[in-house]
Amino acid sequence: MPEHGTSAVRLADAVHLAEGTLGHMPAYGSAHLSMLALLVVATVVLTRRARRGAAAGVERALRVAGWVLLANSLFWTAWGFMPWAWNLDESLPLHYSDALRFIVPIALITRAPWAIVVSWFWGLTLNMQSVLTPDVNYFVWIPLEFVEYWIAHLSGVLAPVVLVWGLRLHPTWRGYGIAYAATVGWALIAVTGNALTGANYGYLNRAPDGASVLDLLGPWPQYLLVEALLIAAVWALMTLAWALVDRRRAAPLHGRGGLLRRPTALSPAAPPRTAAAAPRS
């Protein structure tokens, strides 16, 4: 068995080299598992700090993080257009994760409700496919490409969790609808790009070459319809959970458009009891 596994790895490496890549990050190898562990630890720590930290300090830290992520996203997008990195199948920013690279910083910097709800739904579902079943080929410089991949996909989970769980910015049903409309709109953009280039952005023209969640949804184009229905159902459950919490706490709407609700720290499920007045003598 070990010899067979070694042969398979060598064969895979040979195929990647023949395709012009420097290598491939295998799913659930040591590098992948270390990133999953980092994600779990960072999610717990950052969410707790957001809930317990002083409001001004948390707001400042999140905005700084947003500016750093935005600068990095601009750098990485520009990198893809450089002669040494250009690849028609990878360099155009048409994947959902490419859009999320910019939506997450916008949410952190501006607290725009539309950016928060889109980052929440995309980050915890569409983005999770790349977190749990990564399909990563290295083309130019392995350390940089590894780091950039995980900056994008880990921040796509961490930022919305901190905003929604940590700062209690809960999506509403209207936010659900806006996020779903944005998903369909981006699919039309990616499909147009694929038609013009022959690429596979958004995995809308075929499934990824490696194993992925899409393999469980049937062949193309069937998996597109199944995925659309599944996303609608899962997002509805994600929204229902917050709707029930916010209804119980009578949480007010937050921001423009009615996309978010934010229960106050002192809004209990039931009004607190006051001490009974002492009977008159």
Side-chain angles (χ1 to χ4, degrees), residues 274-280:
T274 58
R280 296 181 178 179

mmCIF file of all heavy atoms in Angstrom, residues 274-280:
data_model
loop_
_atom_site.group_PDB
_atom_site.id
_atom_site.type_symbol
_atom_site.label_atom_id
_atom_site.label_comp_id
_atom_site.label_asym_id
_atom_site.label_seq_id
_atom_site.Cartn_x
_atom_site.Cartn_y
_atom_site.Cartn_z
ATOM 1 N N THR A 274 -38.944 43.590 38.480
ATOM 2 C CA THR A 274 -38.487 44.554 39.462
ATOM 3 C C THR A 274 -38.863 44.081 40.851
ATOM 4 O O THR A 274 -39.799 43.280 41.026
ATOM 5 C CB THR A 274 -39.126 45.926 39.200
ATOM 6 O OG1 THR A 274 -40.546 45.778 39.233
ATOM 7 C CG2 THR A 274 -38.699 46.462 37.834
ATOM 8 N N ALA A 275 -38.124 44.552 41.811
ATOM 9 C CA ALA A 275 -38.414 44.138 43.172
ATOM 10 C C ALA A 275 -39.800 44.597 43.579
ATOM 11 O O ALA A 275 -40.223 45.726 43.284
ATOM 12 C CB ALA A 275 -37.364 44.715 44.123
ATOM 13 N N ALA A 276 -40.533 43.745 44.250
ATOM 14 C CA ALA A 276 -41.895 44.084 44.671
ATOM 15 C C ALA A 276 -41.858 45.202 45.691
ATOM 16 O O ALA A 276 -40.973 45.259 46.542
ATOM 17 C CB ALA A 276 -42.568 42.854 45.272
ATOM 18 N N ALA A 277 -42.816 46.110 45.559
ATOM 19 C CA ALA A 277 -42.864 47.230 46.500
ATOM 20 C C ALA A 277 -43.231 46.731 47.892
ATOM 21 O O ALA A 277 -44.060 45.831 48.055
ATOM 22 C CB ALA A 277 -43.902 48.258 46.026
ATOM 23 N N ALA A 278 -42.617 47.306 48.900
ATOM 24 C CA ALA A 278 -42.890 46.907 50.279
ATOM 25 C C ALA A 278 -44.306 47.312 50.672
ATOM 26 O O ALA A 278 -44.752 48.409 50.331
ATOM 27 C CB ALA A 278 -41.898 47.570 51.228
ATOM 28 N N PRO A 279 -45.073 46.422 51.295
ATOM 29 C CA PRO A 279 -46.441 46.760 51.677
ATOM 30 C C PRO A 279 -46.477 47.896 52.673
ATOM 31 O O PRO A 279 -45.607 48.017 53.513
ATOM 32 C CB PRO A 279 -46.969 45.462 52.289
ATOM 33 C CG PRO A 279 -45.746 44.741 52.745
ATOM 34 C CD PRO A 279 -44.680 45.099 51.783
ATOM 35 N N ARG A 280 -47.479 48.739 52.515
ATOM 36 C CA ARG A 280 -47.630 49.847 53.454
ATOM 37 C C ARG A 280 -48.161 49.345 54.786
ATOM 38 O O ARG A 280 -49.025 48.481 54.841
ATOM 39 C CB ARG A 280 -48.590 50.898 52.891
ATOM 40 C CG ARG A 280 -48.084 51.573 51.617
ATOM 41 C CD ARG A 280 -49.056 52.602 51.143
ATOM 42 N NE ARG A 280 -48.553 53.277 49.942
ATOM 43 C CZ ARG A 280 -49.216 54.220 49.308
ATOM 44 N NH1 ARG A 280 -50.418 54.612 49.758
ATOM 45 N NH2 ARG A 280 -48.704 54.799 48.230
#
